[in-house]
Amino acid sequence: RISLKPRQFHSHFVFLDEYNFGTLQLDRVLASEVANMDDSIAVQDHSNQGAVVVPSVVTAWSMMHYLGSEMAQEYYRAIMGRFSTEPYRKQIELIPRGGLMLAGAGEAHAELVSFKKELISNQFASYLTRAVGEIIRDYMNEGEAGDNPAISFISSVLAVFELDQDIESEVQALKRSLLSQVGVAEYSVKWENPCPIFMLPDVFCEECTESRDVNLCFAPPGHDEVGTHWICEDCGAPYNTNVIAERLLDVLNRKVVRYQLQDIRCSKTNRISPRSLVALSDCAAPLKTDISRSSIESDIQLLLDLAH
């Protein structure tokens, strides 16, 4: 017999993948703890007198950390929060008193869809236009080399907006407007998930002794501040970072040794070259390696970023 006991309640779950999602976590608190009920989006809990249900924004967008500038990250965090809270606020207004029931098909649902379209076309369009302008100015003032962070910011925001099919046409119009602001054609921008994945297998928790494969590039919601640790999904206890560091050093050593001892092949026939200190194979074709230099440099840089 299996029994399930819910530990958390969520609403307006926006899911891109397991490492990129956002939601509103619903918590029951005393009404006296809410500073201003008129300005809050708390809802009266009729099953518990004197209590209210208060939503809090949960941000777990790993790609936010790869946008290229701190300003872009802050704007991304803010717009993703509004993308969940604004429809929730409107939905609460449309639902009759008596609970957190979802607005289904009908007049209320049509009004909610209309509100989301207006939200994208007006409020978000104005907000993002200003945000992109400030990100560009910050990028120009810094004078750093590299890709314009405004482009990755735009494509990452729109990748999430496109998950909602009710606002598809409005998102496309917003996409054309923002890309024209940075002087880029719409067809030339293709979004790719910038989040790297580094899975460390069989990480043991010292508290509950459970073993899991852990993606070290993912910081759980609420644990992305400096100095925090990876946590166990079962008991919430932090993993031993010293053990993880020792395993990462072992991974690095094995990667370097594998790169140095790899075979050299003919780029034309793919046969292994019997001689190493030559530039061409027996058929005068350039030699190649199984593991490229760019690949090993990328792996080392990723491990270096994890160490920081």
Side-chain angles (χ1 to χ4, degrees):
R1 182 177 178 180
I2 299 177
S3 62
L4 300 178
K5 184 179 180 180
R7 295 186 300 176
Q8 296 178 348
F9 297 88
H10 294 261
S11 178
H12 293 71
F13 189 62
V14 183
F15 182 84
L16 183 63
D17 57 46
E18 60 180 317
Y19 305 119
N20 291 279
F21 60 87
T23 179
L24 294 178
Q25 181 172 331
L26 307 179
D27 299 308
R28 181 184 287 111
V29 299
L30 295 176
S32 58
E33 298 179 3
V34 180
N36 192 339
M37 283 293 295
D38 296 332
D39 297 334
S40 173
I41 54 178
V43 178
Q44 184 69 40
D45 185 1
H46 296 278
S47 64
N48 189 346
Q49 295 296 329
V52 293
V53 177
V54 179
S56 57
V57 178
V58 176
T59 301
W61 301 101
S62 294
M63 60 183 178
M64 176 180 64
H65 303 289
Y66 303 94
L67 295 180
S69 73
E70 294 183 0
M71 180 178 292
Q73 294 178 15
E74 292 302 320
Y75 273 119
Y76 190 87
R77 180 183 289 108
I79 198 66
M80 288 298 106
R82 292 186 61 187
F83 189 57
S84 295
T85 55
E86 295 294 341
Y88 175 85
R89 189 190 300 271
K90 182 63 177 179
Q91 187 170 324
I92 294 301
E93 296 177 1
L94 297 174
I95 299 174
R97 296 184 60 185
L100 293 177
M101 298 176 60
L102 292 176
E107 182 179 348
H109 179 70
E111 187 172 347
L112 179 62
V113 172
S114 177
F115 170 80
K116 291 193 293 184
K117 292 182 178 180
E118 185 74 12
L119 183 69
I120 294 294
S121 301
N122 292 333
Q123 296 186 35
F124 282 8
S126 175
Y127 180 83
L128 289 173
T129 299
R130 183 174 68 255
V132 169
E134 293 186 6
I135 292 172
I136 294 175
R137 285 194 294 271
D138 181 69
Y139 171 70
M140 298 297 292
N141 292 336
E142 292 292 336
E144 296 181 356
D147 297 333
N148 189 340
I151 299 177
S152 59
F153 170 78
I154 294 171
S155 58
S156 297
V157 169
L158 295 177
V160 178
F161 286 178
E162 290 173 349
L163 297 175
D164 192 342
Q165 297 181 354
D166 292 335
I167 55 176
E168 183 177 357
S169 59
E170 287 72 20
V171 171
Q172 292 302 317
L174 178 61
K175 181 178 182 179
R176 288 191 295 269
S177 174
L178 294 178
L179 290 179
S180 64
Q181 183 179 354
V182 296
V184 176
E186 179 182 358
Y187 60 85
S188 63
V189 176
K190 183 179 180 181
W191 181 78
E192 294 182 358
N193 195 332
C195 305
I197 296 178
F198 187 90
M199 300 298 298
L200 189 64
D202 300 329
V203 180
F204 286 90
C205 175
E206 297 179 349
E207 294 292 330
C208 63
T209 68
E210 287 293 327
S211 174
R212 286 182 177 271
D213 296 343
V214 178
N215 179 16
L216 299 183
C217 296
F218 174 67
H223 295 268
D224 54 352
E225 295 85 3
V226 175
T228 55
H229 307 281
W230 297 282
I231 62 173
C232 175
E233 294 182 7
D234 291 321
C235 66
Y239 289 115
N240 190 327
T241 53
N242 293 328
V243 174
I244 292 178
E246 292 178 0
R247 293 189 58 184
L248 290 179
L249 288 175
D250 181 62
V251 170
L252 176 60
N253 288 332
R254 285 189 280 110
K255 283 181 176 292
V256 172
V257 170
R258 189 181 303 117
Y259 175 74
Q260 294 175 335
L261 299 182
Q262 66 180 317
D263 294 321
I264 300 177
R265 300 177 182 272
C266 172
S267 60
K268 184 176 181 180
T269 63
N270 210 34
R271 292 180 178 178
I272 297 176
S273 174
R275 296 172 295 174
S276 300
L277 301 178
V278 292
L280 302 176
S281 65
D282 293 338
C283 60
L287 297 175
K288 66 175 184 178
T289 56
D290 293 333
I291 304 174
S292 65
R293 178 175 177 177
S294 60
S295 176
I296 189 63
E297 288 179 346
S298 176
D299 291 342
I300 293 176
Q301 183 60 48
L302 178 58
L303 292 171
L304 180 62
D305 294 338
L306 291 175
H308 292 166

